[in-house]
Amino acid sequence: MGIFKQLGLREIINASGKMTALGASAVTDEIAQALKDAAQDYVDIDELMEFTGKVISESTGAEDGCPTCGAAAGIAISTAAVITGKNLSLIERIPNTAGLRNEIIVQKGQLVHFGASIGQMIQIGGGHVVEVGQANKVEQEHMEQAITENTAALLYVKSHHAVQKGMQSIEAMMEVAQRNGLPFIIDAAAEEDFQKYIAMGADIVIYSGGKALEGPTSGLICGKKEWMEACRMQYKGVGRPMKVGKEAMAGLITALRQYPLRTSNGEQQIARMTHLCNRLEAIAGLTCSIKQDEAGREIYRAQIQVNEQRAGISAEKLLHLLEAGNPAIYLRHHYVNVGILSVDPRPLLEGQEDIIADEIIRIVKGG
């Protein structure tokens, strides 16, 4: 019996994805052991921070790294770092940055809500958000014309939450930053390639440790050494209330070392979701197909279209009933307003796709 069931909480079947609201990832035995061992021992935290930074560097190809308690903290810490550098007096002023170069340029379509606001994370780090362009169209001139003597950095948000069309590319935004001598930050929280953006030339890249990496609740920043040293120094200021513990760092190190050993499971995802679709296609009002992740990652989800008239139930009602059950089944519901629900195979334990199919069929048939 799982720990949460022992505590009297409902069992969860997570078909939504590596979602913070559902605990992100279920870690391997090796990572769990690292968490346990770290929790039962002592270490000099500053030494562990620097060592974790070296492991991050080795894993990403960056000059250095900084562990965090999550990618959201990474945004705040990175923002603070580009404003204060390693100046302790300025670090202790954050988030009060009046009179400092504190403007962070972000494309309007990327100022999204991921469970909280990107803009708020920037502000926590002392940044003043400068949004450029329109929600569905940004020109290079918008970025150029937004740069002033108060600009501290340009930030690109690589996320399925962000507008995917009409935005300037990473390369275009990076070129503007480099031409103007400004640091370029990429929020790549859920991305799977931990070397791509450093290789492209980004100064600072932020990842979640609990999503694609499948580590514990944690995050990592990687990039140029001067900025990583400044990031670590933020733990003397704004980083203190979001400090990362010894357990998370030990688990993060283990996850980073395991990551290159993982093999692609795209074919397995497709096979599992095809099996699910074949079962659901037999039910009136349900159509099901396999769709690759909209941000281009190697994720193949089952997309369920609910025809309310034929099925006798709306997608929204079906979602509610699935989540209200025990076990509670959480599907991906970004497009529930147009009758679409999705099943993400990555977090599913063995055989859970059949449990999902059984419950959907029971609900639709009025069982």
Side-chain angles (χ1 to χ4, degrees):
M1 181 185 294
I3 179 63
F4 300 117
K5 198 169 182 179
Q6 290 180 41
L7 295 172
L9 299 170
R10 286 186 303 155
E11 182 181 353
I12 298 293
I13 294 179
N14 177 11
S16 181
K18 306 296 180 65
M19 310 299 287
T20 300
L22 296 176
S25 295
V27 302
T28 64
D29 289 342
E30 292 80 6
I31 294 172
Q33 187 63 48
L35 294 168
K36 176 179 180 294
D37 291 345
Q40 295 179 326
D41 207 347
Y42 298 94
V43 68
D44 183 300
I45 293 296
D46 287 341
E47 288 183 11
L48 179 58
M49 289 273 292
E50 288 196 25
F51 180 79
T52 307
K54 290 178 183 177
V55 175
I56 292 170
S57 170
E58 293 165 3
S59 299
T60 62
E63 293 178 5
D64 200 353
C66 175
T68 68
C69 65
I75 297 172
I77 288 171
S78 297
T79 298
V82 298
I83 294 171
T84 68
K86 293 182 281 184
N87 185 315
L88 182 58
S89 295
L90 297 182
I91 288 168
E92 291 176 344
R93 278 181 54 183
I94 297 290
N96 175 16
T97 57
L100 302 178
R101 293 176 58 172
N102 63 0
E103 293 179 355
I104 307 296
I105 294 174
V106 188
Q107 299 186 66
K108 191 180 184 80
Q110 295 181 355
L111 275 175
V112 296
H113 193 280
F114 61 94
S117 162
I118 291 283
Q120 186 177 24
M121 300 307 105
I122 294 170
Q123 290 167 348
I124 288 171
H128 174 70
V129 178
V130 177
E131 60 178 59
V132 297
Q134 307 305 317
N136 64 342
K137 185 66 174 177
V138 179
E139 300 285 1
Q140 191 160 330
E141 288 85 350
H142 287 131
M143 296 185 292
E144 293 277 7
Q145 292 162 9
I147 294 173
T148 72
E149 61 183 9
N150 293 320
T151 303
L154 279 69
L155 170 66
Y156 188 100
V157 180
K158 184 74 171 73
S159 169
H160 68 274
H161 292 293
V163 174
Q164 301 298 318
K165 63 178 182 178
M167 299 297 102
Q168 288 292 304
S169 68
I170 289 173
E171 292 87 349
M173 198 172 192
M174 187 186 306
E175 193 273 329
V176 171
Q178 291 173 344
R179 183 154 29 85
N180 288 275
L182 294 166
F184 182 59
I185 306 169
I186 300 181
D187 170 18
E191 291 296 290
E192 299 172 315
D193 191 330
F194 292 91
Q195 299 183 345
K196 177 179 179 179
Y197 303 115
I198 289 296
M200 288 174 66
D203 297 287
I204 299 173
V205 187
I206 303 158
Y207 294 97
S208 170
K211 293 187 176 175
L213 188 62
E214 297 184 356
T217 300
S218 59
L220 59 123
I221 312 171
C222 57
K224 302 288 176 58
K225 188 171 183 62
E226 63 174 307
W227 296 125
M228 296 305 100
E229 290 175 347
C231 283
R232 288 197 295 270
M233 281 197 68
Q234 301 307 315
Y235 285 106
K236 296 179 181 292
V238 72
R240 182 68 178 185
M242 55 185 83
K243 62 187 178 184
V244 57
K246 59 185 179 178
E247 304 87 354
M249 284 188 274
L252 180 62
I253 289 167
T254 306
L256 284 166
R257 288 177 168 172
Q258 282 187 345
Y259 194 74
L261 306 177
R262 287 167 50 181
T263 56
S264 170
N265 68 346
E267 290 185 3
Q268 183 186 42
Q269 291 181 41
I270 293 170
R272 295 179 76 183
M273 294 299 93
T274 299
H275 171 69
L276 175 72
C277 282
N278 288 341
R279 293 197 60 193
L280 296 181
E281 283 280 349
I283 306 303
L286 302 182
T287 55
C288 193
S289 58
I290 310 298
K291 300 290 184 183
Q292 187 175 0
D293 174 65
E294 56 266 59
R297 297 172 293 174
E298 190 180 27
I299 306 169
Y300 299 92
R301 302 185 182 95
Q303 182 172 286
I304 306 164
Q305 178 77 54
V306 181
N307 184 315
E308 183 174 355
Q309 286 68 39
R310 294 189 62 213
I313 189 172
S314 68
E316 189 171 359
K317 179 65 173 177
L318 175 59
L319 178 73
H320 172 75
L321 291 174
L322 289 169
E323 292 182 355
N326 193 6
I329 299 173
Y330 284 82
L331 304 188
R332 197 173 185 85
H333 57 267
H334 294 74
Y335 302 106
V336 67
N337 61 308
V338 291
I340 294 174
L341 298 170
S342 296
V343 175
D344 190 322
R346 295 173 301 159
L348 294 181
L349 304 181
E350 186 176 352
Q352 286 186 334
E353 60 267 32
D354 278 316
I355 298 174
I356 294 169
D358 289 342
E359 191 62 10
I360 291 175
I361 291 168
R362 183 192 68 79
I363 291 171
V364 173
K365 286 189 171 181

